[in-house]
Amino acid sequence: MTATIRVAAAPISWGVCEVPGWGRVLDAGTVLGEMAALGVQATELGPPGYLPRDPAELRELLGRYDLTLVGGFLAVVLHENQENALKEAEESAALFAACGGDVLVLAAATGLDGYDERPKLTDAEWATLVETAGKIHDIAAAHGLRTVLHPHVGTHVEQQAEVERFLADSPLGLCLDTGHLMIGGTDPVELAKRYPERVKHVHLKDVRADLAAEVRAGRLGYTDAVGRGIYTPLGEGDVDVASMVRSVQAAGYDGWYVLEQDTALGAESPDDVPRRDTERSLAHLAKIIDSL
């Protein structure tokens, strides 16, 4: 029997990123139109300012393409300036909820631009990070949203030891991002098997293991790795996406699978590359779904 799986996308697969100087940005109409043409049902919001922040405008725009909102990504400093983090979380949660979203995807930002440097935290700063994440969970819950912590390259929850420490110190669920976990040194399939009850949201990526190892060793910056093609369409890299999907489905996961291949478009990059790569990923995911 074919499983019912909810598939969404995110603007980052079209090169739309919050990092200054990341690359050429396609207009929202092109991105949302291509999502819809590929049969995607929903999208995450994308970086601040890319899509409208007014709820009525955002609902109208998404409705024009028959898309719904999954929720969105919030990379915010959690280990200091707690008041500022909570204010940003309140604004984002209110917007997501007003537009039908159900998840706030939280990342522990460093406060620096980009994802290539990570200052080390003290134990006191880590404790503040955990506390702030918990308070953001409460803010989101008041709006009817779930909060998940997203282990992410270049944040304070990236490497395997940090993922394990967060799981031990906080009750929050995880965004199981198959690419960022692998780059950080965590096997996403094994993590899903060990902590099935903590997987509350999924970002599907595939990754070249050779470039991931270079990033992990500090020999290659994350931004440069993206430019060199660290992310591939699903089924063309070294993440066992099929095993991960089977594992979380067997554990009862019923959330979204968000296709999110970090892409940077250079000045000469053809505009249709993101659409073609996403189409290949969707075809591979369809084969996995048919095998369930």
Side-chain angles (χ1 to χ4, degrees):
M1 177 183 295
T2 301
T4 299
I5 286 183
R6 295 187 294 165
V7 179
I12 186 62
S13 292
W14 276 260
V16 182
C17 183
E18 70 278 5
V19 177
W22 180 261
R24 188 162 52 86
V25 177
L26 300 176
D27 66 90
T30 296
V31 172
L32 299 178
E34 291 186 357
M35 286 184 187
L38 291 170
V40 171
Q41 303 165 358
T43 182
E44 287 192 8
L45 185 62
Y50 181 66
L51 297 180
R53 299 290 291 186
D54 176 78
E57 289 182 30
L58 180 57
R59 287 195 300 269
E60 190 279 329
L61 178 61
L62 295 177
R64 204 182 305 164
Y65 298 97
D66 294 321
L67 293 169
T68 58
L69 186 70
V70 173
F73 179 65
L74 178 65
V76 64
V77 175
L78 301 176
H79 63 279
E80 61 184 10
N81 300 325
Q82 187 177 89
E83 184 177 345
N84 182 66
L86 300 183
K87 180 176 182 292
E88 289 192 44
E90 172 63 38
E91 292 173 354
S92 292
L95 175 61
F96 300 165
C99 296
D102 64 8
V103 61
L104 187 153
V105 183
L106 181 65
T110 62
L112 304 175
D113 286 338
Y115 297 113
D116 292 320
E117 297 181 59
R118 287 194 332 139
K120 185 175 176 59
L121 294 186
T122 65
D123 287 344
E125 287 172 327
W126 177 266
T128 300
L129 181 156
V130 172
E131 178 186 71
T132 307
K135 290 184 176 182
I136 288 174
H137 165 273
D138 294 343
I139 288 170
H143 289 279
L145 302 177
R146 295 174 293 111
T147 299
V148 292
L149 192 282
H150 184 343
H152 192 293
V153 173
T155 71
H156 288 303
V157 184
E158 170 191 330
Q159 298 172 359
Q160 184 173 7
E162 294 156 355
V163 175
E164 298 283 350
R165 186 181 185 185
F166 188 85
L167 286 168
D169 292 351
S170 170
L172 261 66
L174 285 184
C175 171
L176 189 78
D177 185 300
T178 54
H180 282 281
L181 284 167
M182 184 173 180
I183 296 169
T186 299
D187 181 339
V189 178
E190 182 62 25
L191 186 71
K193 289 178 179 177
R194 291 174 55 218
Y195 298 101
E197 75 285 355
R198 304 295 292 272
V199 179
K200 302 300 184 183
H201 193 54
V202 174
H203 283 173
L204 287 178
K205 293 180 171 71
D206 210 342
V207 171
R208 285 179 51 186
D210 59 338
L211 291 180
E214 291 293 299
V215 174
R216 197 158 52 246
R219 293 188 292 267
L220 180 65
Y222 179 68
T223 304
D224 289 339
V226 172
R228 288 175 54 179
I230 189 171
Y231 294 109
T232 72
L234 299 185
E236 298 178 24
D238 296 295
V239 176
D240 191 349
V241 177
S243 290
M244 192 283 301
V245 171
R246 293 189 189 104
S247 176
V248 297
Q249 285 295 117
Y253 179 74
D254 61 357
W256 288 97
Y257 289 86
V258 183
L259 293 172
E260 200 196 49
Q261 302 291 105
D262 293 17
T263 299
L265 293 176
E268 306 302 322
S269 301
D271 286 356
D272 65 345
V273 169
R275 178 191 59 76
R276 288 191 284 111
D277 284 352
T278 303
E279 187 171 28
R280 285 151 68 186
S281 289
L282 285 166
H284 183 74
L285 182 58
K287 292 178 182 178
I288 296 171
I289 294 171
D290 286 344
S291 72
L292 296 175

